[in-house]
Amino acid sequence: MASQIFAPDVEQVLDVSGIFVFALSGSLLAVRKNFDVFGMAVLAEATALGGGVIRDLIIGAVPPVAFTNTGYFLTPLLAATVVFFLHPEVTRINRTVQTLDALGLGLFAVTGTAKAHDYGLGVIASVALGLITAVGGGVIRDLLAMETPSLLRWDRSLYAVPAMLGAGITAALIAFDDLNAVTGTAATLVAFGLRMLALHYNLRAPRAWRRGSSQTGEA
Amino acid sequence: MASQIFAPDVEQVLDVSGIFVFALSGSLLAVRKNFDVFGMAVLAEATALGGGVIRDLIIGAVPPVAFTNTGYFLTPLLAATVVFFLHPEVTRINRTVQTLDALGLGLFAVTGTAKAHDYGLGVIASVALGLITAVGGGVIRDLLAMETPSLLRWDRSLYAVPAMLGAGITAALIAFDDLNAVTGTAATLVAFGLRMLALHYNLRAPRAWRRGSSQTGEA
Amino acid sequence: MASQIFAPDVEQVLDVSGIFVFALSGSLLAVRKNFDVFGMAVLAEATALGGGVIRDLIIGAVPPVAFTNTGYFLTPLLAATVVFFLHPEVTRINRTVQTLDALGLGLFAVTGTAKAHDYGLGVIASVALGLITAVGGGVIRDLLAMETPSLLRWDRSLYAVPAMLGAGITAALIAFDDLNAVTGTAATLVAFGLRMLALHYNLRAPRAWRRGSSQTGEA
């Protein structure tokens, strides 16, 4: 199976790490929105597992892995607990959190694409589902917190494009029957690297083309 | 089957009662938001049936019971009709509506947990799905009305915790093979009781821990 | 199969046309909200395909057709590209876009109802799913853009009622075993006609009944 890119133990460790850091971002938003501890847990779960749940519902992998792997389900609660007691400290290491988040973004784009392909979806659909796996949780997080999804906003650095790149490379590797632990890691790192560049240089995607006018002043 | 806690006729009556009162809360919010009669019907349906639909999609029980049991589907339309003509009166008996809502909360937490377990989910996942069954519709209601989900807000009395308690007791009863009409009713009443206490004493969940500062003044 | 109302080639052309014009409305909203080009693509996809994806998840047709028919998936990207370069022109022909949107509304209500019935759902559930197919994408579009769903708002002309009428006629035609290309087209045109009347005369649905007070002044 293409989705078995890494050895099961390795994949489990990687997945749990990605889930943990995604859950941190959900919990931190809940703190900023002044939600209670239960709202922190809900946003942690939704951010960390939401993208994978949507992917699994669409490809027909029910119940979604988020509901069958207890470790995946409990990890966001651990992240919410950490943020509950230590949110000023977690906020202070924001740079580290963003770096780990970029790794999770790349990882979920690659593994999500591979899992969708395993369930028989075509190349384009698999890339779309890799993207949904990587960014879907963040959209659900923002909707629950009544914020415009940062994914869609012009004034945020590139987030979806790195995930699309990682998913696209993965789909190409599958097509050439060349997806394995080494190439899968490489695809993850390419997505990670582009995301880090976007953060560092504040790279943005363009807005709709405005003839004869500047692109500024409307954000 | 664990989900057959009550005799079918009894369960049907209980479910329809819970659906009706959940639908009242959806219709009333639609009136407050100045939606038209169609918006009232949509919010009634989404509030009353949304949690169960999410549960059924996740456990793979498709089509969801909301789309196969015509009585379940039509009940919210009846509630919307009542609110259309009598919303000042329904608002005036708010205390009664909240009491019935607390009963529905407990009931759906218990039956949702049992149904998820019947479909082969583990203990923790079943509790999570019992919770989703009980509170999911309210979250969808708030999102459609562009309001911060009251479930997540710090300044609202405990709502999810009673549902979690009812779901947890149900899971324990299943584990000890002891879930039946009597114990299921007891679990429902425990959740109901805690919710009524939360309403009466305005019990709230804490927010993230703030060292060296008071917890007030930011809501 | 009732869902094979039209010859496959004809249905494909009709569907893609409806998807294209729904995607235009999503892309245009993204421009108004100042989203970047990626946000335009997401809103185009969600608006055009969201209703059908929800329908397919509920009836158990996974993966949803939006993920198996590459043409369906790529069409919204084409619409987003057109809007990217030509959004002032597309906005200027708003009347034409609304007319095509009304045709898409009728078409998806009819085909959605027929597909739900094919998957074994009852009359009322099939009508509900025809309605969800036609209007679900627009609700997702509005939620992602943090706008109150125009479907629910009192101050917008009738949108759901034409779709319900088209879906209801389709269900009746199925019940009498009389659904074919001619009658299916007629049902589509009835929904289309009512939507055009609603646009032209600004027909609205009533809000909740207020005894002894006028219905105005609160929007």
Side-chain angles (χ1 to χ4, degrees):
Chain A
M1 298 225 301
S3 75
Q4 204 56 70
I5 307 172
F6 308 106
D9 286 5
V10 176
E11 170 119 25
Q12 186 87 357
V13 170
L14 291 173
D15 276 353
V16 166
S17 308
I19 288 169
F20 185 81
V21 68
F22 273 35
L24 286 182
S25 90
S27 307
L28 286 171
L29 180 58
V31 173
R32 284 202 301 279
K33 301 292 285 192
N34 209 29
F35 291 164
D36 66 21
V37 62
F38 181 77
M40 292 172 63
V42 169
L43 247 65
E45 293 282 357
T47 310
L49 304 175
V53 169
I54 298 176
R55 175 203 60 210
D56 287 351
L57 290 181
I58 286 176
I59 65 178
V62 289
V65 66
F67 288 88
T68 58
N69 185 320
T70 305
Y72 289 6
F73 187 85
L74 295 180
T75 299
L77 301 183
L78 179 64
T81 306
V82 169
V83 170
F84 182 82
F85 288 109
L86 299 173
H87 58 99
E89 285 78 5
V90 177
T91 304
R92 213 171 299 138
I93 57 165
N94 186 34
R95 208 184 182 79
T96 310
V97 172
Q98 284 189 322
T99 304
L100 292 170
D101 184 272
L103 266 176
L105 182 76
L107 176 70
F108 291 144
V110 170
T111 56
T113 304
K115 183 167 185 183
H117 184 266
D118 276 349
Y119 275 77
L121 279 88
V123 171
I124 291 175
S126 295
V127 170
L129 284 162
L131 180 61
I132 288 173
T133 308
V135 307
V139 171
I140 296 175
R141 173 199 65 205
D142 293 342
L143 291 181
L144 286 173
M146 284 285 120
E147 304 234 314
T148 299
S150 70
L151 184 75
L152 308 174
R153 291 176 61 168
W154 167 74
D155 54 344
R156 298 295 167 94
S157 56
L158 291 183
Y159 195 82
V161 174
M164 269 194 285
L165 184 64
I169 293 173
T170 306
L173 289 168
I174 293 172
F176 291 107
D177 205 11
D178 239 359
L179 183 64
N180 54 48
V182 174
T183 59
T185 303
T188 302
L189 291 179
V190 169
F192 167 72
L194 180 55
R195 172 63 186 150
M196 292 310 288
L197 285 175
L199 273 173
H200 192 74
Y201 295 104
N202 197 17
L203 304 178
R204 299 175 188 179
R207 288 174 293 169
W209 201 48
R210 283 167 173 81
R211 279 150 302 179
S213 74
S214 85
Q215 282 275 9
T216 55
E218 287 175 68
Chain B
M1 300 224 298
S3 75
Q4 204 56 71
I5 306 171
F6 307 106
D9 287 4
V10 175
E11 171 120 26
Q12 186 87 357
V13 169
L14 291 173
D15 276 353
V16 165
S17 309
I19 288 170
F20 185 81
V21 70
F22 274 34
L24 286 183
S25 89
S27 307
L28 286 171
L29 180 58
V31 172
R32 284 202 300 278
K33 301 292 285 190
N34 209 29
F35 291 163
D36 66 20
V37 61
F38 181 77
M40 293 172 61
V42 169
L43 248 65
E45 293 281 356
T47 310
L49 304 175
V53 169
I54 296 175
R55 176 202 60 210
D56 287 350
L57 291 180
I58 286 175
I59 64 179
V62 289
V65 66
F67 289 88
T68 58
N69 185 321
T70 305
Y72 288 7
F73 187 84
L74 295 180
T75 300
L77 301 183
L78 179 64
T81 306
V82 168
V83 170
F84 182 83
F85 288 110
L86 299 173
H87 59 97
E89 284 79 3
V90 177
T91 304
R92 213 170 299 138
I93 57 166
N94 186 34
R95 207 183 183 79
T96 309
V97 171
Q98 283 189 321
T99 305
L100 292 171
D101 185 272
L103 266 176
L105 183 75
L107 175 70
F108 291 144
V110 171
T111 56
T113 303
K115 183 168 185 182
H117 183 267
D118 276 347
Y119 275 77
L121 278 88
V123 171
I124 291 175
S126 295
V127 171
L129 284 162
L131 180 61
I132 288 174
T133 308
V135 307
V139 172
I140 297 176
R141 172 199 64 205
D142 292 342
L143 291 182
L144 287 173
M146 284 287 119
E147 305 233 313
T148 300
S150 70
L151 185 74
L152 308 175
R153 293 177 59 168
W154 167 74
D155 54 343
R156 299 294 167 92
S157 56
L158 292 182
Y159 195 81
V161 173
M164 269 194 286
L165 184 65
I169 293 174
T170 306
L173 289 168
I174 294 172
F176 290 107
D177 206 11
D178 238 0
L179 183 63
N180 54 48
V182 173
T183 58
T185 303
T188 302
L189 291 179
V190 169
F192 166 72
L194 179 55
R195 172 63 185 150
M196 293 309 289
L197 285 175
L199 273 173
H200 193 74
Y201 295 104
N202 196 17
L203 304 179
R204 300 174 188 181
R207 288 173 294 168
W209 200 48
R210 284 167 173 80
R211 278 150 300 176
S213 73
S214 85
Q215 283 274 10
T216 54
E218 288 175 67
Chain C
M1 297 225 302
S3 75
Q4 204 57 69
I5 306 171
F6 308 106
D9 287 5
V10 175
E11 170 120 25
Q12 186 89 357
V13 170
L14 291 173
D15 276 353
V16 166
S17 309
I19 287 169
F20 185 82
V21 69
F22 273 34
L24 287 182
S25 89
S27 307
L28 286 171
L29 180 57
V31 172
R32 283 202 302 277
K33 302 292 284 191
N34 209 29
F35 291 163
D36 66 21
V37 61
F38 180 77
M40 292 172 62
V42 169
L43 247 64
E45 293 282 356
T47 310
L49 304 175
V53 168
I54 297 176
R55 176 203 59 209
D56 287 351
L57 290 179
I58 286 175
I59 64 178
V62 289
V65 66
F67 288 87
T68 57
N69 185 321
T70 305
Y72 289 6
F73 187 84
L74 295 180
T75 300
L77 301 183
L78 178 64
T81 307
V82 168
V83 170
F84 182 83
F85 288 110
L86 299 174
H87 59 98
E89 284 79 3
V90 177
T91 304
R92 213 170 299 137
I93 58 166
N94 186 34
R95 209 185 181 78
T96 309
V97 171
Q98 284 191 321
T99 304
L100 292 171
D101 185 272
L103 266 176
L105 183 76
L107 175 69
F108 291 144
V110 170
T111 56
T113 304
K115 184 168 184 182
H117 184 267
D118 276 349
Y119 275 77
L121 278 88
V123 171
I124 291 174
S126 295
V127 170
L129 284 162
L131 180 62
I132 288 173
T133 308
V135 306
V139 171
I140 297 175
R141 173 198 65 205
D142 293 342
L143 290 181
L144 286 173
M146 283 286 120
E147 304 234 313
T148 299
S150 68
L151 185 75
L152 308 175
R153 292 176 59 168
W154 167 75
D155 54 344
R156 298 294 166 93
S157 56
L158 292 183
Y159 195 82
V161 174
M164 268 194 287
L165 184 65
I169 293 173
T170 306
L173 288 168
I174 294 172
F176 290 108
D177 206 11
D178 238 358
L179 183 64
N180 53 48
V182 173
T183 58
T185 304
T188 302
L189 291 178
V190 169
F192 167 72
L194 180 55
R195 172 64 185 149
M196 293 308 289
L197 285 175
L199 273 173
H200 192 74
Y201 295 104
N202 196 17
L203 304 179
R204 300 175 188 178
R207 288 174 293 169
W209 200 48
R210 283 167 173 81
R211 278 149 302 175
S213 74
S214 85
Q215 282 274 9
T216 54
E218 286 175 70

